[in-house]
Every structure is written in structure tokens, then in C-alpha cells.
């Protein structure tokens, strides 16, 4: 392992790998430590939200993600054909689904596609059905191409933070680095070692997820099914099952999941005598334990992903929340290490990500509450079901799950400020995000005289100016994490070049050079 690197990342899941890649793009030296000797085969999240898919797009990984979705869709079609839910050519005669809310399927055909929240975010539609295991493999290749070393079979046992660095005690010996980021899951060793609090709510459910062989799959309904006994899901991939029971937390989270345990749970919640004949790798047992770290940073130690927040996995929100952490923290920590931004920039990481984390925790808590098997919950499910049967209700829930409504509280009155940048086609046939694979800031300049680009020349090397023909907005500054920091439909006043200069100083730091007159 390397000594005296800028950053050591603990955990080689999708969050740790993407964070390490973002740091490498920012010019930092980084290494990843992972206790597992091989990639985790546990079945976890099954899809990406729009901001996550757009994060891949910004780094040139969209084609690879689209290929994964094509392969997954072929397996979904195989499952649908086996259950009789689909016939004919792939894609024909099958209802379009947009996930579920509390085991209530969401019908994409009810969504108002003209909703302004969705506008401009359809370029990644072919790259959202990417399971977590496949995403991890994709990001491992991305990090490797950037020269990030991943040291497997290395277990962290302790952490010694200091004023100018951190010593990490591992099974392979001590490691020194200037910064340490824990991406090591809900039971984070890093978080516990530095004493960060983890307040929240205790679990009340036990869930299982696995891929199995089923002797009599016709006994099971396709998709999500709720009853007073619990919840189960069959599909959308061949052999995939999920169960939820309201009997408290499991006695032993770490015990191997057995075929008999899965069959017993599935029989209880489905009310059938379905028979499972084989268990494939990656079975998991989980709960709705919902907690958020009291702080995402303690000096030179930071947290991201499940190390900073845990909750039930409904909707795959945890994976997407963690990816958002990684892209937010990566460029900021890289900027501090490079020396062009003050350390106080890291304070915005907690400030920006904490509210979204709290929202996701409550979003999953609400789903658990709607899954309980009592009469009052059944009545409430009927009311929520009626709301979801309306175009407005369905559109609201689907846009929230998709992530397109996420917005940071940034100064500025333009409606794009604080939002993830929409897809912007350019006059030369490229898209704005095509110019951001290197990880820096992007400045769209549609002024007739190139005034915005001339102003940003002082930040050369950090800000890539992308000139384009006429259009609205006339200018837009996009941070490396895809968030619009400034936008203007005109060139005068605080929305023009004066406003841009202030925002560049705020986010892009001290000017790198002074333009030559």
C-alpha cells in the first residue's frame, strides 16, 4: 500500500470507487482499501436514478451503462415471458413501470411527460436499469483507467486523526494519508473509530433478497404483492425474490442466509406452499434501521454513502444517495488538496448533502409505515392508491423517485440554479456534458462577443468554456458535480458578468491567471 497519499478511501463499493475516480480527476493521489478479497456479489439496488445516470454521462460512461441496461432488459424479458406477462417481440404489450412506492407499482403511462421537472433529463433514459453489482464493475474499470490502486483483503482496525493527516491501522500495517474518507457501509469502522454519532430509528422489519430456483413459480404473483402477512416481490429478473416481514430485526444479521430460511419467509408472506430448490450466491438479510451520521466530517476524516446514512433499501435510494455524496465531495476535497480552494469549502459538503439524506430516510420510513399489515394501514394504502391512480399523484411520486426534483439552496434567482444541469444540445452536434469528462467546471457561453468566456479566462485549467450559438440561457456555469451554480438569460446586472465573477470566486477559488490585455 502507498504511504503519504493525499486520500485513503476505505471501501471499494460504487461510492468509494466513484469518489476515488473523482479525486484522481482533480489531481489528487488516492488509494482504496477494501476488506473483501473479491467484489461483493450480494444482491442490492437494481436501478439508478436520473442524477446518478447523469453522473456517469458526465464522465463518458453513458455508453457502457446503456449496454448494461440492454443486457438487463433481455433478462427481464426472459422473466416476463416465463410468467406469461409478456408475449411477442421484446417490449410489446408490457406496462411501463417506474418502480414502486411501498409495494405499489408505479405506472409510467400515468406520468405527465411534459412536467417541467422532467424536461431536459431524458438523455439518460437508456441507462437507469443498472444493478449495483454491474455499476460497481463499471466504476472499477473507470477508476483503474485513472490509475487508482484498489488494495483488497485489507481490513481497517483503527484510525488516528492528526492536525495534518490520518494514520489508518490495517491488517496489512499502518497507512498514512492527508485525508481519510469512510465509504465502508452502515457499520462503518471509520465512523466508529473517530466517534461520530449515528442517531436514528431502530428497525421493525426483517427483509430478505436472493436469486433462487423455484419449482412452482406459478404460485407467485409477478411484481410486488402486499398482504396483512407481509410483502413479497417476484422478479423482474429470473429467480429474484424479496420478502418483508414485520417481526422485528433478525437475531443475527451476519449468519449465512439459507435456502430453508428464504423458503419459510416466502411461504409466510405469500400464503403459498411454494418450493425453492436452489440458492444462488448473493443472498442478503436486511432491516429498516434508519440513521444519519451526526456530522459527515471530523477534521480530516469524512464519510460518504452508507457510512453516513442507512435506511431500508426500497427504491434503491441508498445507492443513488451515496453516488451523490461521492460526486459532491470528490471535486471539493480535490480542490482543497490542489490548494486553490480553502478548507472551508468542505463545510458545504455536509450542508448540501445532509438535507437530502434526511429526506431519503423519511421517504423510506413512510414506505415502511405503508407496508404494515394492520387494518388502519390497509385503509391508508387504499387512500394513497387512489392518489397514485391520478396523473398528478403519479407524476409527483415518480419525479421525486427519479431525483430530478433535487435542488441545492444556492444564491441566485434563475430557475436552473441549484438544480442538476439539464441536457443541453449544442450547435456543433455535441452536448454540454460531452465537454466535462475531465471533471472540471463547464461554462456555457452564448454571448455574441464571448464576454463570459473572456471573464472566465482567469480560471483557465479549472473552467472549460464552451461557446455556442444563440439561445437560452445565454450563460450557465456548471460545477463538476453537475449542479448549476449560475445561469442567466441576459448579460446585464447581477445576472450577467458581474454575477458570474462572484460565483466563480465562490466555487472555483482564486483565479489561476490574470488575462493578458
Amino acid at each position: 500500500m502507498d504511504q503519504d497519499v493525499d486520500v485513503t478511501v476505505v471501501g471499494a463499493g460504487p461510492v468509494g470507487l466513484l469518489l476515488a475516480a473523482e479525486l484522481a480527476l482533480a489531481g489528487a493521489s488516492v488509494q482504496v482499501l477494501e476488506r473483501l478479497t473479491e467484489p461483493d456479489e450480494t444482491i442490492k439496488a437494481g436501478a439508478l436514478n436520473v442524477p446518478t445516470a447523469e453522473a456517469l454521462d458526465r464522465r463518458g460512461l453513458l455508453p457502457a451503462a446503456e449496454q448494461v441496461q440492454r443486457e438487463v432488459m433481455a433478462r427481464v424479458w426472459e422473466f416476463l415471458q416465463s410468467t406469461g406477462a409478456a408475449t411477442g417481440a421484446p417490449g410489446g404489450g408490457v406496462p411501463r413501470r417506474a418502480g414502486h412506492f411501498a409495494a405499489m407499482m408505479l405506472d409510467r403511462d400515468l406520468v405527465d411527460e411534459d412536467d417541467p421537472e422532467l424536461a431536459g433529463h431524458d438523455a439518460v433514459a437508456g441507462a437507469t436499469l443498472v444493478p449495483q453489482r454491474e455499476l460497481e464493475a463499471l466504476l472499477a474499470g473507470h477508476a483503474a483507467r485513472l490509475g487508482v490502486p484498489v488494495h483488497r483483503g485489507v481490513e481497517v482496525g483503527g484510525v488516528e486523526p492528526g492536525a495534518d493527516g490520518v494514520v489508518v491501522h490495517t491488517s496489512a500495517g499502518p497507512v498514512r494519508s492527508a485525508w481519510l474518507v469512510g465509504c465502508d457501509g452502515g457499520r462503518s469502522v471509520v465512523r466508529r473509530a473517530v466517534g461520530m454519532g449515528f442517531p436514528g430509528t431502530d428497525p421493525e422489519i426483517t427483509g430478505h433478497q436472493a436469486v433462487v430456483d423455484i419449482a412452482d413459480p406459478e404460485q407467485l404473483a409477478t411484481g410486488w404483492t402486499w398482504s396483512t402477512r407481509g410483502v413479497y416481490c417476484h422478479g423482474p429478473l429470473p429467480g429474484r425474490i424479496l420478502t418483508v416481514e414485520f417481526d422485528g430485526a433478525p437475531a443475527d444479521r451476519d449468519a449465512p442466509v439459507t435456502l430453508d430460511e428464504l423458503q419459510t419467509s416466502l411461504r409466510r408472506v405469500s400464503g403459498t406452499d411454494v418450493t425453492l430448490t436452489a440458492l444462488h450466491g448473493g443472498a442478503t438479510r436486511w432491516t429498516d434501521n434508519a440513521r444519519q451520521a451526526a456530522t459527515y466530517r471530523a477534521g480530516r476524516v469524512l464519510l460518504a454513502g452508507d457510512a453516513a446514512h442507512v435506511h431500508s433499501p426500497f427504491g434503491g435510494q441508498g445507492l443513488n444517495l451515496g453516488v451523490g455524496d461521492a460526486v459532491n465531495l470528490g471535486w471539493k476535497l480535490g480542490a482543497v488538496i490542489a490548494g486553490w480552494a480553502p478548507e472551508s469549502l468542505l463545510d458545504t459538503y455536509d450542508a448540501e448533502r445532509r438535507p437530502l439524506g434526511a429526506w431519503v430516510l423519511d421517504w423510506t420510513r413512510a414506505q415502511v409505515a405503508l407496508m404494515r399489515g394492520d387494518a388502519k394501514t390497509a385503509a391508508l394504502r387504499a387512500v394513497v392508491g387512489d392518489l397514485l391512480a391520478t396523473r398528478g399523484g403519479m407524476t409527483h411520486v415518480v419525479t421525486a423517485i427519479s431525483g430530478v426534483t433535487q435542488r441545492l439552496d444556492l444564491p441566485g434567482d434563475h430557475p436552473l440554479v441549484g438544480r442538476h444541469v439539464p441536457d443541453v444540445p449544442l450547435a456543433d452536434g455535441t452536448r454540454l456534458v460531452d465537454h466535462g469528462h475531465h471533471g472540471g467546471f463547464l461554462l456555457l457561453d452564448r454571448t455574441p462577443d464571448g464576454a463570459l468566456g473572456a471573464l472566465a479566462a482567469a480560471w483557465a485549467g479549472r473552467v472549460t468554456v464552451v461557446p455556442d450559438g444563440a439561445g437560452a440561457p445565454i450563460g450557465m456555469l456548471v460545477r463538476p458535480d453537475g449542479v448549476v451554480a449560475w445561469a442567466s438569460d441576459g448579460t446585464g446586472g447581477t445576472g450577467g458578468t458581474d454575477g458570474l465573477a462572484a460565483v466563480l470566486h465562490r466555487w472555483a477559488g482564486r483565479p489561476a491567471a490574470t488575462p493578458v490585455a
Side-chain angles (χ1 to χ4, degrees):
M1 294 180 294
D2 297 328
Q3 300 289 346
D4 297 320
V5 295
D6 292 325
V7 187
T8 293
V9 175
V10 180
V15 176
L17 291 169
L18 181 56
L19 173 62
E22 292 293 285
L23 287 164
L25 283 173
S29 60
V30 56
Q31 64 180 345
V32 180
L33 310 183
E34 170 56 54
R35 66 179 181 84
L36 298 178
T37 57
E38 299 293 337
D40 187 3
E41 293 298 316
T42 301
I43 302 169
K44 296 181 180 178
L48 311 180
N49 68 6
V50 171
T52 296
E54 289 178 338
L56 299 180
D57 190 11
R58 286 195 302 276
R59 298 299 176 258
L61 300 174
L62 183 62
E66 290 174 330
Q67 178 58 31
V68 171
Q69 175 158 312
R70 286 190 289 269
E71 295 169 358
V72 170
M73 285 303 299
R75 294 160 58 199
V76 169
W77 186 254
E78 175 189 346
F79 169 75
L80 293 174
Q81 283 188 311
S82 72
T83 63
T87 58
V94 178
R96 294 193 306 153
R97 300 301 189 191
H100 77 98
F101 181 80
M104 290 180 277
M105 297 301 294
L106 302 176
D107 187 350
R108 187 78 196 195
D109 289 332
L110 269 178
V111 175
D112 180 4
E113 300 292 351
D114 295 325
D115 186 279
E117 298 284 6
L118 296 171
H121 291 282
D122 56 359
V124 297
T128 56
L129 196 58
V130 178
Q132 183 163 334
R133 289 187 296 186
E134 283 79 356
L135 176 64
E136 184 174 320
L138 190 157
L139 292 175
H142 176 53
R145 289 189 293 274
L146 291 170
V148 175
V150 178
H151 303 289
R152 290 193 168 273
V154 179
E155 191 155 0
V156 172
V159 175
E160 290 184 35
D164 58 357
V166 184
V167 176
V168 184
H169 295 281
T170 80
S171 57
V175 176
R176 297 181 300 276
S177 61
W179 299 85
L180 173 67
V181 185
C183 302
D184 51 339
R187 288 176 277 185
S188 169
V189 173
V190 172
R191 186 189 66 241
R192 294 175 178 179
V194 295
M196 293 181 180
F198 206 41
T201 52
D202 294 330
E204 59 179 279
I205 68 173
T206 293
H208 295 90
Q209 187 171 202
V211 173
V212 297
D213 290 339
I214 308 173
D216 41 7
E218 66 278 359
Q219 294 205 57
L220 301 175
T222 300
W224 289 84
T225 301
W226 175 90
S227 76
T228 56
R229 299 178 299 272
V231 176
Y232 77 91
C233 182
H234 179 211
L237 297 175
R240 185 257 191 174
I241 60 167
L242 179 148
T243 66
V244 178
E245 297 182 81
F246 284 84
D247 54 358
D252 187 352
R253 280 284 305 275
D254 297 321
V257 179
T258 66
L259 185 65
D260 181 66
E261 179 183 351
L262 291 168
Q263 179 172 276
T264 299
S265 179
L266 185 57
R267 285 180 171 180
R268 277 197 298 258
V269 298
S270 67
T272 71
D273 60 355
V274 64
T275 298
L276 308 184
T277 58
L279 169 61
H280 300 283
T284 183
R285 185 190 297 109
W286 45 271
T287 76
D288 62 325
N289 181 38
R291 300 182 181 280
Q292 187 175 30
T295 177
Y296 287 12
R297 179 191 174 201
R300 288 180 171 260
V301 180
L302 299 108
L303 303 175
D306 288 352
H309 38 70
V310 295
H311 49 80
S312 71
F314 299 129
Q317 293 285 347
L319 169 63
N320 294 297
L321 185 60
V323 167
D325 293 344
V327 297
N328 187 291
L329 175 59
W331 74 270
K332 293 175 180 176
L333 183 53
V336 172
I337 291 169
W340 56 260
E343 194 171 315
S344 59
L345 179 63
L346 295 177
D347 295 337
T348 67
Y349 169 57
D350 188 299
E352 292 179 354
R353 296 303 298 171
R354 175 172 298 280
L356 183 56
W359 177 86
V360 169
L361 261 66
D362 282 343
W363 183 265
T364 59
R365 288 182 180 120
Q367 293 185 71
V368 171
L370 275 172
M371 290 182 178
R372 294 177 180 137
D374 59 274
K376 292 179 180 178
T377 299
L380 182 59
R381 286 181 68 85
V383 173
V384 174
D386 287 342
L387 291 173
L388 288 177
T390 66
R391 185 168 295 276
M394 184 64 69
T395 301
H396 172 77
V397 172
V398 170
T399 53
I401 289 176
S402 74
V404 297
T405 59
Q406 295 175 11
R407 184 171 187 173
L408 301 183
D409 185 17
L410 302 183
D413 54 9
H414 194 281
L416 285 175
V417 171
R419 294 188 178 274
H420 291 99
V421 60
D423 194 50
V424 180
L426 304 176
D428 63 1
T430 65
R431 299 177 303 140
L432 182 62
V433 295
D434 295 334
H435 300 265
H437 296 174
H438 60 285
F441 289 81
L442 293 176
L443 176 62
L444 176 67
D445 184 359
R446 287 172 167 161
T447 57
D449 57 357
L452 302 180
L455 186 153
W459 285 266
R462 294 178 218 153
V463 178
T464 297
V465 178
V466 183
D468 192 40
I474 197 169
M476 181 166 58
L477 179 68
V478 183
R479 300 189 327 189
D481 56 0
V483 173
V484 177
W486 171 89
S488 176
D489 292 326
T491 57
T494 58
T497 56
D498 291 342
L500 174 60
V503 173
L504 283 168
H505 278 279
R506 171 71 179 90
W507 294 113
R510 296 183 298 272
T514 301
V516 177

